[in-house]
Amino acid sequence: MKILAIETSCDETAAAVVEDGTKILSNVVASSTAMHEKYGGIVPEVAAREQLKCIIPVMCEALEPLESPETLHATRANEAKHQTALGEVIKRHIDAIAVTVGPGLIGSLLVGVETAKTIAFATGKPIIPVNHVLAHMYANFVNGKHIEFPAISLVVSGGHTELYLMKSVKDLMWLGGTLDDAAGECFDKTARLLGFGHGGGLAIERAALKFKVQSSKFKVKLPRPMMDESFNFSFSGLKTAVMREWKKYNNPELASAFAHEIQESITDVLVAKTLRAAKHYGAKSILLSGGVAANLRLREKFNIQHSSFNIHAPDGALCTDNAVMIGACAFFLGSPADWHHISATPDLPVECS
């Protein structure tokens, strides 16, 4: 089954063709990160306007591997013929359309959702609505990875930090999640406090690598928030602690020391709660996903303590927002819906039982 997947929940414009939930036939992402840097973050209206420009070209590029280049390129000079060719390629090669319906930014979601609905109407192909947060974990099933169940899935991104019990590929139970700031959001906000601009978690990770624990005379100790028996997360207090401590020194030369401790604090909490859930539910596997799952220190800590569990994490490119995970989730978990009844839902719940 070949699925054309579309992802526009935040500032990226992505399309992919995924076969049987595991084989990537194409994966295209148009990033607007550079454009947002001058604003110090994502401006929702600007992101949506950029996605309007990108969505058709991105889909065309994603479909190119399915058709001879001559067929598609020959019609690009004529917009009307190009639209017809796009529809014909989808009719010939695609079995279903998958699209992120939430959670996310309403303007961005609308671009993807309305595009997918139009394609479904024009081609008669079934359309599968997908929850963006749940989709992240299905990036672990791409390329034929064998996952043993039960599994604990940690989805950790800019807006969400969620723990799930996966009894099977289709049977999910939400265990706990973000009460305020998510881990990725904490990385982003503390990066700005330290003067790293829009660099976020990657900037923190790079700065932390420069810090030498043994040789440094300066040490800062930050809290490990909400290290209780629950499976919920709260990182707003950590952000406040960083702000308070940074104001004491406000020395750019200490930025790497702060970055190191921020990373240690966040990853300590994520690892401890995930391992506790895995032991509690007798898990055989642990799945990491979401943008923060690309953090090398987080992966290192899980690998150090992995003796009882199989640790799985997607390639770095599949941790951040992409359409491959949308196609995989649609195949394994989704079901077609009437396009008339599909709508963008920015506050789509992530809890399931």
Side-chain angles (χ1 to χ4, degrees):
M1 181 182 187
K2 294 186 179 72
I3 295 177
L4 171 61
I6 299 170
E7 154 61 29
T8 62
S9 63
C10 191
D11 62 322
E12 314 285 31
T13 309
V17 178
V18 182
E19 186 172 8
D20 296 334
T22 60
K23 185 178 180 181
I24 303 173
L25 301 184
S26 66
N27 179 26
V28 181
V29 180
S31 175
S32 54
T33 300
M35 182 184 68
H36 293 302
E37 281 181 357
K38 64 181 180 181
Y39 299 111
I42 296 168
V43 180
E45 293 81 3
V46 174
R49 290 192 196 104
E50 194 67 18
Q51 286 165 321
L52 279 171
K53 299 176 187 175
C54 295
I55 187 66
I56 298 300
V58 165
M59 281 198 308
C60 288
E61 188 175 342
L63 291 166
E64 277 188 1
L66 306 181
E67 193 80 5
S68 67
E70 294 79 12
T71 303
L72 284 174
H73 292 166
T75 58
R76 284 192 169 169
N78 185 303
E79 187 67 22
K81 288 184 178 180
H82 183 45
Q83 301 291 345
T84 302
L86 183 62
E88 290 303 316
V89 171
I90 292 172
K91 286 180 181 179
R92 278 196 296 271
H93 300 287
I94 297 299
D95 299 302
I97 313 297
V99 63
T100 301
V101 296
L105 302 175
I106 182 60
S108 295
L109 288 168
L110 281 169
V111 174
V113 169
E114 295 307 313
T115 299
K117 288 168 67 174
T118 301
I119 294 172
F121 169 74
T123 64
K125 298 295 182 179
I127 182 171
I128 304 170
V130 173
N131 184 309
H132 173 87
V133 173
L134 299 184
H136 268 297
M137 66 182 81
Y138 287 90
N140 282 292
F141 293 83
V142 173
N143 297 325
K145 288 184 182 178
H146 176 67
I147 309 292
E148 287 189 280
F149 297 101
I152 292 296
S153 176
L154 172 67
V155 181
V156 54
S157 63
H160 292 271
T161 305
E162 315 290 338
L163 270 176
Y164 297 89
L165 171 64
M166 296 187 77
K167 299 176 184 177
S168 72
V169 73
K170 290 181 176 291
D171 190 353
L172 308 178
M173 183 173 75
W174 181 79
L175 302 178
T178 306
L179 297 181
D180 41 56
D181 284 5
E185 187 177 1
C186 188
F187 270 125
D188 291 342
K189 290 180 177 178
T190 54
R192 290 193 190 99
L193 281 172
L194 299 184
F196 298 144
H198 191 49
L202 184 58
I204 294 286
E205 183 177 3
R206 287 172 175 168
L209 288 172
K210 299 176 184 177
F211 179 69
K212 307 298 181 185
V213 179
Q214 302 301 327
S215 59
S216 175
K217 296 180 181 178
F218 176 81
K219 288 183 173 63
V220 59
K221 186 66 177 175
L222 295 171
R224 271 56 175 167
M226 211 169 178
M227 287 283 259
D228 55 20
E229 295 302 311
S230 77
F231 296 129
N232 290 318
F233 299 88
S234 169
F235 290 103
S236 63
L238 175 59
K239 178 190 66 180
T240 303
V242 173
M243 185 185 302
R244 183 177 61 247
E245 293 299 312
W246 183 248
K247 282 182 178 179
K248 288 181 184 178
Y249 304 98
N250 197 20
N251 184 351
E253 293 183 2
L254 301 178
S256 63
F258 271 84
H260 175 269
E261 181 62 9
I262 290 166
Q263 181 171 256
E264 290 301 301
S265 175
I266 293 174
T267 53
D268 280 350
V269 173
L270 296 176
V271 170
K273 295 223 168 196
T274 304
L275 290 177
R276 187 184 305 131
K279 292 172 183 175
H280 182 81
Y281 288 98
K284 295 180 180 178
S285 304
I286 291 175
L287 311 184
L288 310 180
S289 61
V292 179
N295 181 278
L296 297 180
R297 182 59 174 150
L298 178 66
R299 294 187 182 214
E300 180 185 32
K301 287 184 177 181
F302 271 112
N303 287 327
I304 289 172
Q305 304 180 53
H306 83 295
S307 57
S308 302
F309 312 102
N310 297 312
I311 309 295
H312 299 275
D315 294 339
L318 297 183
C319 288
T320 52
D321 290 353
N322 65 88
V324 170
M325 68 184 195
I326 304 302
C329 182
F331 179 82
F332 288 112
L333 189 66
S335 57
D338 186 334
W339 69 263
H340 294 86
H341 301 147
I342 293 176
S343 60
T345 310
D347 57 349
L348 188 67
V350 300
E351 299 84 358
C352 53
S353 58

